[in-house]
Amino acid sequence: MVGYAIQLLAPRMLPTADSYVAFSVYWATLYLCGSALTGIQQEVTRAAHPAEPAHRPPALRNATVVFAGILAVAAVVIGIVFSSQLTTVPMLSLVGSLTIGLIGYLFMVVLSGVMYGLQVWRGVAMITIVDALVRAVLVVTGFALHLSPGWIVLLVSAPFIIAFGATWLTVRRRIVGRFQLDVGYQDLAFNTLRTMGAAAATGLLVSGLPVLLKVTSPAVPAPELAAHVLAITITRAPIVIPLLALQSYMISVLRHAGDTLLRRLAILVAVAAAVVGVLSLVALWIGPPLIAAISDGRYTITAGMAGAIVASAGLVGLMSVAGPALLVRSHHGFYAAGWIIAAIVTVLLLLLPLPFDQRLTTALLGGPLAGLAVQTYGLLTRVRADTRGAQS
């Protein structure tokens, strides 16, 4: 929610629509890449179990080092590619900030996954709070001091490393040698790649939408594009971000649910659907004036678009609830397929030859609906298989 507040302040504190779009694109790019890395956290959460203190092969540490090297190369490539889109940020600053951000995010998700698996809740709370608060202080200070975009992107990225270091120093004795993974190195890598693919698609649907809009709608005027980016940001974040943040927690809890798993899942889905339905109706009424108030009258959207954005966020939220249940039952394939299909459908619908509002509405609703259908089919398939196994 602190990140949400920063994104609310950005359109008021940044001087032009172009500067706001540039900030949003960098933020979205970083968190889109980070979203893919949360797949590591989800698999480590599922695989890590408490164990008596002992010396064990450093499989997780070695895998983390390999991923860090890959991310360093990826940061250089992404920085070079996006330097043409973010012309106000020097390329070296962009590459350096992305490298710090991605490697810091990697360290955070690995440590968080182990802490979720061991249910070290104080450590989980600490790494989340330190990251958010440090970023808020640094970025808002940068806004207030009118620092250059090169410094702003660094201030967005640096808190990942700071939060990891502070938390590691605090929980190290409770972590080292006190857990084991329930899969070997190859299975861990295979499962992680699938959850990362799903997490990358999730990031595209959530954090990556500003990037998608920028790429697929180059002819849309900056004020109109900024208005829709702002609307998506402030309406999706309160619904989707908390549910995504709780995915590892839900995995940790649901893996001990046993026969009550489906009943718990049904309750969660029913509550989430009811809340989203109410919020979508409310958005029709307060959405447009809220956007105008936050942007100081610079940006506007229609009531229908506000309702569609909230409904779309609800569909993504329902996928975030169903996903952990699939992972707990080791149904990684349907979990990944649901998110990937949702992302692919969203991109394809954004490319339709329709007016901007129409294709955006179609994409926002059509993608998550397709993904939710795949995940629901996967859950029902697993239930039928379990039922047949119990009867035989």
Side-chain angles (χ1 to χ4, degrees), residues 152-244:
I152 294 294
V153 296
L154 177 61
L155 297 179
V156 171
S157 299
F160 294 128
I161 289 285
I162 297 171
F164 165 77
T167 306
W168 175 250
L169 292 175
T170 303
V171 303
R172 182 179 182 277
R173 292 183 179 179
R174 300 184 61 183
I175 298 294
V176 176
R178 295 180 178 272
F179 72 93
Q180 62 183 6
L181 304 179
D182 64 6
V183 291
Y185 183 83
Q186 290 184 343
D187 287 338
L188 177 67
F190 183 53
N191 289 342
T192 297
L193 287 175
R194 288 188 288 179
T195 54
M196 284 181 66
T202 306
L204 195 66
L205 291 173
V206 182
S207 303
L209 270 176
V211 180
L212 282 180
L213 295 184
K214 178 73 172 175
V215 172
T216 60
S217 308
V220 176
E224 183 179 357
L225 188 61
H228 288 83
V229 168
L230 177 60
I232 290 169
T233 299
I234 69 170
T235 52
R236 279 196 160 204
I239 299 172
V240 178
I241 301 302
L243 289 172
L244 291 177

Coordinates of all heavy atoms in Angstrom, one line a residue, residues 152-244:
I152 N 15.9 9.4 -9.6 CA 14.6 8.8 -9.1 C 14.5 7.3 -9.3 O 14.1 6.6 -8.4 CB 13.4 9.5 -9.9 CG1 13.3 11.0 -9.5 CG2 12.1 8.8 -9.6 CD1 13.0 11.3 -8.0
V153 N 15.0 6.8 -10.5 CA 14.9 5.4 -10.8 C 15.8 4.6 -9.8 O 15.5 3.5 -9.4 CB 15.2 5.1 -12.2 CG1 14.2 5.7 -13.1 CG2 16.6 5.5 -12.6
L154 N 17.0 5.2 -9.4 CA 17.8 4.6 -8.5 C 17.2 4.5 -7.1 O 17.3 3.5 -6.4 CB 19.2 5.3 -8.3 CG 20.2 4.8 -7.3 CD1 20.6 3.4 -7.6 CD2 21.4 5.7 -7.2
L155 N 16.5 5.5 -6.7 CA 15.8 5.5 -5.4 C 14.6 4.5 -5.4 O 14.3 4.0 -4.3 CB 15.3 7.0 -5.1 CG 16.3 8.0 -5.0 CD1 15.7 9.4 -4.7 CD2 17.3 7.7 -3.8
V156 N 14.0 4.3 -6.5 CA 13.0 3.2 -6.6 C 13.6 1.8 -6.4 O 13.0 1.0 -5.7 CB 12.3 3.3 -8.0 CG1 11.3 2.1 -8.1 CG2 11.5 4.6 -8.1
S157 N 14.8 1.6 -6.9 CA 15.4 0.3 -6.9 C 16.2 -0.1 -5.6 O 16.2 -1.3 -5.2 CB 16.4 0.2 -8.1 OG 15.7 0.3 -9.3
A158 N 16.9 0.9 -5.0 CA 17.8 0.6 -3.9 C 17.2 -0.1 -2.7 O 17.8 -0.9 -2.1 CB 18.5 1.9 -3.5
P159 N 15.9 0.2 -2.3 CA 15.3 -0.4 -1.1 C 15.3 -1.9 -1.1 O 15.3 -2.5 0.0 CB 13.9 0.2 -1.1 CG 14.1 1.5 -1.7 CD 15.0 1.3 -2.9
F160 N 15.3 -2.6 -2.2 CA 15.3 -4.0 -2.2 C 16.6 -4.6 -1.5 O 16.5 -5.5 -0.7 CB 15.2 -4.6 -3.7 CG 14.0 -4.3 -4.4 CD1 14.0 -3.7 -5.7 CD2 12.7 -4.6 -3.8 CE1 12.8 -3.4 -6.3 CE2 11.6 -4.3 -4.5 CZ 11.6 -3.8 -5.8
I161 N 17.7 -4.0 -1.9 CA 19.0 -4.4 -1.3 C 19.0 -4.1 0.2 O 19.4 -4.9 1.0 CB 20.2 -3.8 -2.0 CG1 20.3 -4.4 -3.4 CG2 21.4 -3.9 -1.2 CD1 20.9 -5.7 -3.4
I162 N 18.5 -2.9 0.5 CA 18.5 -2.4 1.9 C 17.6 -3.3 2.8 O 18.0 -3.8 3.9 CB 18.1 -1.0 2.0 CG1 19.0 -0.1 1.3 CG2 17.9 -0.5 3.5 CD1 18.6 1.4 1.1
A163 N 16.5 -3.7 2.3 CA 15.5 -4.5 3.1 C 16.1 -5.9 3.3 O 16.0 -6.5 4.4 CB 14.2 -4.5 2.4
F164 N 16.7 -6.5 2.2 CA 17.2 -7.8 2.3 C 18.4 -7.8 3.4 O 18.4 -8.7 4.2 CB 17.8 -8.3 1.0 CG 18.7 -9.5 1.1 CD1 18.2 -10.7 1.3 CD2 20.1 -9.3 1.1 CE1 19.0 -11.8 1.4 CE2 20.9 -10.4 1.2 CZ 20.4 -11.7 1.4
G165 N 19.3 -6.9 3.3 CA 20.4 -6.8 4.2 C 20.0 -6.7 5.6 O 20.5 -7.4 6.5
A166 N 19.0 -5.8 5.9 CA 18.6 -5.6 7.3 C 17.9 -6.8 7.8 O 18.1 -7.2 9.0 CB 17.6 -4.4 7.3
T167 N 17.1 -7.5 7.0 CA 16.3 -8.7 7.5 C 17.3 -9.9 7.7 O 17.2 -10.6 8.6 CB 15.2 -9.0 6.5 OG1 14.4 -7.9 6.3 CG2 14.4 -10.1 7.0
W168 N 18.2 -10.0 6.7 CA 19.1 -11.2 6.8 C 20.0 -11.1 8.1 O 20.1 -12.1 8.8 CB 20.1 -11.2 5.6 CG 21.1 -12.2 5.7 CD1 22.5 -12.0 5.8 CD2 21.0 -13.7 5.6 NE1 23.1 -13.2 5.8 CE2 22.2 -14.2 5.7 CE3 19.8 -14.5 5.4 CZ2 22.4 -15.6 5.7 CZ3 20.0 -15.8 5.4 CH2 21.3 -16.4 5.5
L169 N 20.4 -9.9 8.5 CA 21.2 -9.8 9.7 C 20.3 -10.1 10.9 O 20.9 -10.6 11.9 CB 21.7 -8.3 9.8 CG 22.8 -7.9 8.8 CD1 23.1 -6.4 8.9 CD2 24.0 -8.8 9.0
T170 N 19.0 -9.9 10.8 CA 18.2 -10.2 12.0 C 17.8 -11.6 12.1 O 17.7 -12.2 13.2 CB 16.9 -9.3 11.8 OG1 17.2 -7.9 11.7 CG2 16.0 -9.5 13.0
V171 N 17.5 -12.3 11.0 CA 17.0 -13.7 11.0 C 18.0 -14.8 10.7 O 17.6 -16.0 10.7 CB 15.7 -13.8 10.1 CG1 14.7 -12.8 10.5 CG2 16.1 -13.7 8.6
R172 N 19.2 -14.4 10.4 CA 20.1 -15.4 9.9 C 20.2 -16.7 10.7 O 20.3 -17.8 10.2 CB 21.5 -14.8 9.7 CG 22.6 -15.7 9.1 CD 23.9 -14.9 9.0 NE 24.9 -15.8 8.4 CZ 25.6 -16.7 9.0 NH1 25.4 -16.9 10.4 NH2 26.5 -17.5 8.4
R173 N 20.3 -16.5 12.0 CA 20.5 -17.7 12.9 C 19.3 -18.6 12.9 O 19.4 -19.8 13.3 CB 20.8 -17.2 14.3 CG 22.1 -16.5 14.5 CD 22.4 -16.1 15.9 NE 23.7 -15.5 16.1 CZ 24.1 -15.0 17.3 NH1 23.4 -15.1 18.4 NH2 25.3 -14.4 17.3
R174 N 18.1 -18.1 12.5 CA 16.9 -18.9 12.5 C 16.7 -19.6 11.2 O 15.8 -20.4 11.0 CB 15.7 -18.1 12.8 CG 15.7 -17.4 14.2 CD 14.4 -16.7 14.5 NE 13.3 -17.6 14.5 CZ 12.0 -17.2 14.6 NH1 11.8 -15.9 14.8 NH2 11.0 -18.1 14.6
I175 N 17.6 -19.3 10.2 CA 17.4 -19.8 8.8 C 18.5 -20.8 8.5 O 18.2 -21.9 8.0 CB 17.5 -18.6 7.8 CG1 16.3 -17.6 8.1 CG2 17.4 -19.1 6.4 CD1 15.0 -18.2 7.8
V176 N 19.8 -20.4 8.7 CA 20.9 -21.2 8.1 C 20.9 -22.6 8.8 O 20.9 -22.7 10.0 CB 22.2 -20.5 8.4 CG1 23.4 -21.4 8.0 CG2 22.3 -19.1 7.7
G177 N 20.9 -23.6 7.9 CA 20.9 -25.0 8.4 C 19.7 -25.5 9.0 O 19.6 -26.7 9.5
R178 N 18.6 -24.7 9.0 CA 17.4 -25.1 9.8 C 16.2 -25.5 8.9 O 15.1 -25.5 9.3 CB 17.0 -24.0 10.8 CG 18.0 -23.8 11.9 CD 17.6 -22.8 12.8 NE 18.6 -22.6 13.9 CZ 18.6 -23.3 15.1 NH1 17.6 -24.2 15.3 NH2 19.5 -23.1 16.0
F179 N 16.5 -25.6 7.6 CA 15.4 -26.0 6.7 C 15.9 -27.0 5.6 O 17.1 -27.1 5.4 CB 14.8 -24.8 6.0 CG 15.7 -24.2 4.9 CD1 15.6 -24.6 3.6 CD2 16.7 -23.3 5.3 CE1 16.4 -24.0 2.6 CE2 17.5 -22.7 4.3 CZ 17.4 -23.1 3.0
Q180 N 15.0 -27.7 5.0 CA 15.4 -28.6 3.9 C 14.3 -28.5 2.8 O 13.1 -28.1 3.1 CB 15.5 -30.0 4.3 CG 14.3 -30.7 4.9 CD 14.5 -32.1 5.4 OE1 15.7 -32.6 5.4 NE2 13.5 -32.8 5.8
L181 N 14.6 -28.8 1.6 CA 13.7 -28.7 0.5 C 13.1 -30.1 0.2 O 13.8 -31.1 0.4 CB 14.4 -28.2 -0.8 CG 15.0 -26.8 -0.7 CD1 15.7 -26.4 -2.0 CD2 14.0 -25.7 -0.2
D182 N 11.8 -30.2 -0.1 CA 11.2 -31.5 -0.3 C 11.4 -32.0 -1.8 O 10.8 -33.0 -2.1 CB 9.7 -31.5 0.0 CG 8.9 -30.5 -0.8 OD1 9.5 -30.0 -1.8 OD2 7.7 -30.3 -0.6
V183 N 12.2 -31.3 -2.6 CA 12.5 -31.7 -3.9 C 14.0 -31.6 -4.2 O 14.7 -30.8 -3.5 CB 11.7 -30.9 -5.0 CG1 10.2 -31.2 -4.9 CG2 12.0 -29.4 -4.8
G184 N 14.5 -32.3 -5.2 CA 15.9 -32.2 -5.6 C 16.1 -31.0 -6.4 O 15.2 -30.2 -6.8
Y185 N 17.3 -30.8 -6.8 CA 17.7 -29.6 -7.5 C 17.0 -29.5 -8.9 O 16.5 -28.4 -9.2 CB 19.3 -29.6 -7.7 CG 19.8 -28.4 -8.4 CD1 20.0 -27.2 -7.7 CD2 20.0 -28.4 -9.8 CE1 20.5 -26.1 -8.4 CE2 20.5 -27.2 -10.5 CZ 20.7 -26.1 -9.7 OH 21.2 -25.0 -10.4
Q186 N 16.9 -30.6 -9.6 CA 16.3 -30.5 -10.9 C 14.8 -30.2 -10.8 O 14.2 -29.4 -11.6 CB 16.5 -31.9 -11.7 CG 17.9 -32.1 -12.1 CD 18.1 -33.3 -12.9 OE1 17.2 -34.2 -12.9 NE2 19.2 -33.4 -13.6
D187 N 14.1 -30.9 -9.9 CA 12.7 -30.7 -9.7 C 12.4 -29.2 -9.2 O 11.5 -28.6 -9.6 CB 12.1 -31.6 -8.7 CG 11.9 -33.0 -9.3 OD1 11.9 -33.1 -10.5 OD2 11.9 -34.0 -8.5
L188 N 13.3 -28.7 -8.3 CA 13.2 -27.4 -7.9 C 13.3 -26.4 -9.1 O 12.5 -25.4 -9.2 CB 14.2 -27.0 -6.8 CG 14.3 -25.6 -6.3 CD1 13.0 -25.3 -5.5 CD2 15.5 -25.4 -5.5
A189 N 14.3 -26.6 -9.9 CA 14.5 -25.8 -11.1 C 13.3 -25.8 -12.0 O 12.8 -24.8 -12.5 CB 15.7 -26.1 -11.8
F190 N 12.8 -27.0 -12.3 CA 11.6 -27.2 -13.2 C 10.4 -26.5 -12.7 O 9.7 -25.8 -13.4 CB 11.4 -28.7 -13.5 CG 10.3 -28.9 -14.5 CD1 10.3 -28.4 -15.7 CD2 9.2 -29.8 -14.1 CE1 9.3 -28.6 -16.6 CE2 8.2 -30.0 -15.1 CZ 8.3 -29.4 -16.3
N191 N 10.1 -26.8 -11.4 CA 8.9 -26.1 -10.8 C 9.1 -24.6 -10.7 O 8.1 -23.9 -11.0 CB 8.7 -26.7 -9.4 CG 8.2 -28.1 -9.3 OD1 7.7 -28.6 -10.3 ND2 8.4 -28.8 -8.2
T192 N 10.3 -24.2 -10.4 CA 10.5 -22.7 -10.3 C 10.3 -22.0 -11.7 O 9.7 -21.0 -11.8 CB 11.9 -22.4 -9.8 OG1 12.1 -23.0 -8.5 CG2 12.2 -21.0 -9.8
L193 N 10.8 -22.7 -12.8 CA 10.6 -22.1 -14.1 C 9.1 -21.9 -14.4 O 8.7 -20.9 -15.0 CB 11.3 -23.0 -15.2 CG 12.8 -22.9 -15.2 CD1 13.4 -23.9 -16.2 CD2 13.3 -21.5 -15.5
R194 N 8.3 -22.9 -14.0 CA 6.9 -22.8 -14.3 C 6.2 -21.7 -13.5 O 5.4 -21.0 -14.0 CB 6.2 -24.2 -14.1 CG 6.5 -25.2 -15.2 CD 5.7 -26.5 -15.0 NE 6.2 -27.3 -13.9 CZ 5.6 -28.4 -13.5 NH1 4.6 -28.9 -14.2 NH2 6.0 -29.1 -12.5
T195 N 6.5 -21.7 -12.2 CA 5.9 -20.6 -11.4 C 6.5 -19.3 -11.8 O 5.7 -18.3 -11.7 CB 6.2 -20.9 -9.9 OG1 7.7 -21.0 -9.7 CG2 5.5 -22.1 -9.4
M196 N 7.7 -19.2 -12.3 CA 8.2 -17.9 -12.8 C 7.5 -17.5 -14.0 O 7.2 -16.3 -14.2 CB 9.7 -18.0 -13.0 CG 10.6 -17.9 -11.8 SD 12.3 -18.0 -12.1 CE 12.6 -16.4 -13.0
G197 N 7.2 -18.4 -14.9 CA 6.4 -18.1 -16.1 C 5.1 -17.6 -15.7 O 4.6 -16.6 -16.3
A198 N 4.4 -18.2 -14.8 CA 3.1 -17.7 -14.3 C 3.2 -16.4 -13.6 O 2.4 -15.5 -13.9 CB 2.5 -18.7 -13.3
A199 N 4.3 -16.2 -12.8 CA 4.4 -14.9 -12.1 C 4.8 -13.8 -13.1 O 4.3 -12.6 -12.9 CB 5.6 -15.0 -11.1
A200 N 5.5 -14.1 -14.2 CA 5.8 -13.1 -15.2 C 4.5 -12.6 -15.9 O 4.3 -11.4 -16.1 CB 6.8 -13.6 -16.2
A201 N 3.6 -13.6 -16.2 CA 2.4 -13.3 -16.8 C 1.5 -12.5 -15.8 O 0.8 -11.6 -16.2 CB 1.6 -14.6 -17.2
T202 N 1.6 -12.8 -14.5 CA 0.8 -12.1 -13.5 C 1.3 -10.6 -13.5 O 0.5 -9.7 -13.5 CB 1.1 -12.7 -12.1 OG1 0.7 -14.1 -12.1 CG2 0.2 -12.0 -11.1
G203 N 2.6 -10.5 -13.5 CA 3.2 -9.1 -13.6 C 2.8 -8.3 -14.8 O 2.5 -7.1 -14.7
L204 N 2.6 -9.0 -15.9 CA 2.2 -8.3 -17.1 C 0.8 -7.8 -17.0 O 0.4 -6.7 -17.4 CB 2.3 -9.3 -18.3 CG 2.2 -8.7 -19.7 CD1 3.4 -7.8 -20.0 CD2 2.1 -9.8 -20.8
L205 N -0.1 -8.6 -16.3 CA -1.5 -8.2 -16.1 C -1.6 -7.1 -15.0 O -2.6 -6.4 -15.0 CB -2.3 -9.5 -15.7 CG -2.5 -10.5 -16.7 CD1 -3.2 -11.7 -16.1 CD2 -3.3 -10.0 -17.9
V206 N -0.7 -7.0 -14.1 CA -0.8 -6.1 -13.0 C 0.2 -4.9 -13.2 O -0.2 -3.8 -13.6 CB -0.6 -6.8 -11.7 CG1 -0.8 -5.8 -10.5 CG2 -1.5 -8.0 -11.5
S207 N 1.4 -5.1 -12.9 CA 2.4 -4.1 -12.9 C 2.8 -3.7 -14.4 O 3.2 -2.5 -14.6 CB 3.7 -4.5 -12.2 OG 3.4 -4.9 -10.9
G208 N 2.6 -4.6 -15.3 CA 3.1 -4.3 -16.7 C 2.1 -3.7 -17.6 O 2.4 -3.3 -18.7
L209 N 0.9 -3.4 -17.1 CA -0.1 -2.8 -18.0 C 0.3 -1.4 -18.6 O 0.1 -1.1 -19.7 CB -1.5 -2.7 -17.3 CG -2.4 -3.9 -17.5 CD1 -3.6 -3.8 -16.7 CD2 -2.7 -4.1 -18.9
P210 N 1.0 -0.5 -17.8 CA 1.4 0.7 -18.3 C 2.4 0.5 -19.5 O 2.4 1.2 -20.5 CB 2.1 1.4 -17.2 CG 1.4 0.9 -16.0 CD 1.1 -0.5 -16.3
V211 N 3.3 -0.5 -19.4 CA 4.2 -0.8 -20.5 C 3.4 -1.3 -21.7 O 3.7 -0.9 -22.8 CB 5.2 -1.9 -20.0 CG1 6.2 -2.2 -21.2 CG2 6.0 -1.4 -18.8
L212 N 2.4 -2.2 -21.5 CA 1.6 -2.7 -22.6 C 0.9 -1.6 -23.3 O 0.8 -1.5 -24.5 CB 0.6 -3.7 -22.1 CG 1.2 -5.1 -21.8 CD1 0.0 -6.0 -21.3 CD2 1.8 -5.7 -23.1
L213 N 0.3 -0.7 -22.5 CA -0.4 0.4 -23.1 C 0.5 1.4 -23.9 O 0.1 1.8 -25.0 CB -1.2 1.2 -22.0 CG -2.3 0.5 -21.3 CD1 -3.0 1.4 -20.3 CD2 -3.3 -0.1 -22.3
K214 N 1.7 1.6 -23.4 CA 2.6 2.5 -24.1 C 3.1 1.9 -25.4 O 3.2 2.5 -26.4 CB 3.9 2.7 -23.2 CG 5.0 3.5 -23.8 CD 4.6 5.0 -23.8 CE 5.8 5.8 -24.3 NZ 5.4 7.2 -24.5
V215 N 3.3 0.5 -25.4 CA 3.8 -0.1 -26.6 C 2.7 -0.3 -27.6 O 2.9 -0.2 -28.9 CB 4.4 -1.5 -26.2 CG1 4.7 -2.3 -27.5 CG2 5.6 -1.3 -25.4
T216 N 1.5 -0.7 -27.2 CA 0.4 -1.0 -28.1 C -0.4 0.2 -28.6 O -1.3 0.1 -29.5 CB -0.6 -2.0 -27.5 OG1 -1.2 -1.5 -26.3 CG2 0.1 -3.3 -27.2
S217 N -0.2 1.3 -27.9 CA -1.0 2.5 -28.2 C -0.1 3.8 -28.4 O -0.3 4.8 -27.7 CB -2.0 2.8 -27.1 OG -2.8 1.7 -26.8
P218 N 0.8 3.7 -29.3 CA 1.8 4.8 -29.5 C 1.1 6.1 -30.0 O 1.6 7.2 -29.8 CB 2.8 4.3 -30.6 CG 2.0 3.2 -31.3 CD 1.1 2.6 -30.3
A219 N -0.1 6.0 -30.7 CA -0.7 7.2 -31.2 C -1.6 7.9 -30.2 O -2.1 8.9 -30.5 CB -1.5 6.8 -32.5
V220 N -1.9 7.2 -29.1 CA -2.8 7.8 -28.1 C -2.1 9.0 -27.4 O -0.9 8.9 -27.0 CB -3.2 6.8 -27.0 CG1 -4.0 7.5 -25.9 CG2 -4.0 5.7 -27.7
P221 N -2.7 10.2 -27.3 CA -2.1 11.4 -26.7 C -1.6 11.1 -25.2 O -2.3 10.3 -24.5 CB -3.1 12.4 -26.7 CG -4.1 12.0 -27.8 CD -4.0 10.5 -27.8
A222 N -0.5 11.7 -24.8 CA 0.0 11.4 -23.5 C -1.0 11.7 -22.4 O -1.1 10.9 -21.4 CB 1.3 12.3 -23.3
P223 N -1.8 12.8 -22.4 CA -2.8 13.0 -21.3 C -3.8 11.9 -21.2 O -4.2 11.5 -20.1 CB -3.4 14.4 -21.7 CG -2.4 15.1 -22.5 CD -1.7 14.0 -23.3
E224 N -4.3 11.4 -22.4 CA -5.3 10.3 -22.4 C -4.7 9.0 -21.8 O -5.3 8.3 -21.0 CB -5.9 10.1 -23.8 CG -6.9 9.0 -23.8 CD -7.5 8.8 -25.2 OE1 -7.1 9.5 -26.1 OE2 -8.4 7.9 -25.3
L225 N -3.4 8.7 -22.3 CA -2.7 7.5 -21.8 C -2.5 7.6 -20.3 O -2.7 6.7 -19.6 CB -1.4 7.4 -22.6 CG -0.7 6.1 -22.4 CD1 -1.5 4.9 -22.8 CD2 0.7 6.1 -23.1
A226 N -2.0 8.8 -19.9 CA -1.7 9.0 -18.4 C -3.0 8.8 -17.6 O -2.9 8.3 -16.5 CB -1.1 10.4 -18.2
A227 N -4.1 9.3 -18.1 CA -5.4 9.1 -17.3 C -5.7 7.7 -17.1 O -6.1 7.3 -16.0 CB -6.5 9.8 -18.1
H228 N -5.6 6.9 -18.2 CA -5.9 5.4 -18.0 C -4.9 4.7 -17.2 O -5.2 3.8 -16.4 CB -6.1 4.8 -19.4 CG -7.3 5.2 -20.1 ND1 -7.4 6.4 -20.8 CD2 -8.5 4.7 -20.2 CE1 -8.6 6.5 -21.3 NE2 -9.3 5.5 -21.0
V229 N -3.6 5.1 -17.3 CA -2.6 4.5 -16.5 C -2.9 4.8 -15.0 O -2.8 3.9 -14.1 CB -1.2 5.0 -16.9 CG1 -0.1 4.6 -15.8 CG2 -0.7 4.4 -18.2
L230 N -3.2 6.0 -14.7 CA -3.5 6.4 -13.3 C -4.7 5.6 -12.8 O -4.8 5.1 -11.7 CB -3.8 7.9 -13.3 CG -4.2 8.5 -11.9 CD1 -3.1 8.2 -10.9 CD2 -4.4 10.0 -12.0
A231 N -5.8 5.5 -13.7 CA -7.0 4.8 -13.3 C -6.7 3.4 -13.0 O -7.2 2.8 -12.0 CB -8.1 5.0 -14.3
I232 N -6.0 2.7 -13.8 CA -5.6 1.3 -13.6 C -4.8 1.2 -12.3 O -5.0 0.2 -11.5 CB -4.8 0.8 -14.8 CG1 -5.8 0.6 -16.0 CG2 -4.2 -0.6 -14.5 CD1 -5.1 0.4 -17.3
T233 N -3.9 2.1 -12.1 CA -3.0 2.0 -10.9 C -3.8 2.1 -9.6 O -3.7 1.3 -8.7 CB -1.9 3.1 -11.0 OG1 -1.1 2.9 -12.1 CG2 -1.1 3.1 -9.7
I234 N -4.7 3.1 -9.5 CA -5.3 3.4 -8.2 C -6.5 2.5 -8.0 O -6.9 2.3 -6.8 CB -5.8 4.9 -8.1 CG1 -6.9 5.2 -9.1 CG2 -4.6 5.8 -8.3 CD1 -7.6 6.5 -8.8
T235 N -7.1 1.8 -9.0 CA -8.2 1.0 -8.8 C -7.8 -0.5 -8.7 O -8.4 -1.2 -7.9 CB -9.2 1.1 -9.9 OG1 -8.6 0.9 -11.2 CG2 -9.9 2.4 -9.9
R236 N -6.7 -0.9 -9.4 CA -6.3 -2.3 -9.3 C -5.5 -2.6 -8.0 O -5.6 -3.6 -7.4 CB -5.5 -2.6 -10.5 CG -6.3 -3.0 -11.8 CD -5.5 -3.7 -12.8 NE -6.3 -4.4 -13.7 CZ -6.0 -5.4 -14.4 NH1 -4.8 -5.9 -14.3 NH2 -6.8 -6.0 -15.3
A237 N -4.7 -1.6 -7.7 CA -3.7 -1.9 -6.5 C -4.4 -2.3 -5.2 O -4.0 -3.3 -4.6 CB -2.9 -0.6 -6.3
P238 N -5.5 -1.6 -4.8 CA -6.1 -2.0 -3.5 C -6.7 -3.4 -3.5 O -6.8 -4.1 -2.5 CB -7.2 -1.0 -3.3 CG -6.8 0.2 -4.1 CD -6.1 -0.4 -5.3
I239 N -7.0 -3.9 -4.7 CA -7.7 -5.2 -4.8 C -6.6 -6.3 -5.1 O -6.6 -7.3 -4.4 CB -8.7 -5.2 -6.0 CG1 -9.8 -4.2 -5.7 CG2 -9.3 -6.6 -6.2 CD1 -10.8 -4.0 -6.8
V240 N -5.8 -6.1 -6.1 CA -4.9 -7.2 -6.6 C -3.6 -7.3 -5.7 O -3.2 -8.4 -5.4 CB -4.5 -6.9 -8.1 CG1 -3.6 -8.0 -8.6 CG2 -5.8 -6.9 -8.9
I241 N -3.0 -6.2 -5.4 CA -1.7 -6.2 -4.8 C -1.7 -7.0 -3.4 O -0.8 -7.8 -3.2 CB -1.1 -4.8 -4.6 CG1 -0.9 -4.1 -6.0 CG2 0.3 -4.9 -3.9 CD1 0.0 -4.9 -6.9
P242 N -2.7 -6.7 -2.5 CA -2.7 -7.5 -1.3 C -2.9 -9.0 -1.5 O -2.2 -9.8 -0.8 CB -3.9 -6.9 -0.6 CG -4.1 -5.5 -1.1 CD -3.7 -5.6 -2.6
L243 N -3.7 -9.3 -2.5 CA -3.9 -10.8 -2.8 C -2.6 -11.4 -3.3 O -2.3 -12.5 -3.0 CB -5.1 -11.0 -3.7 CG -6.5 -10.7 -3.2 CD1 -7.5 -10.8 -4.2 CD2 -6.8 -11.7 -2.0
L244 N -1.9 -10.7 -4.2 CA -0.7 -11.2 -4.7 C 0.4 -11.3 -3.6 O 1.1 -12.3 -3.6 CB -0.2 -10.3 -5.8 CG -1.0 -10.3 -7.2 CD1 -0.4 -9.3 -8.1 CD2 -1.0 -11.7 -7.8

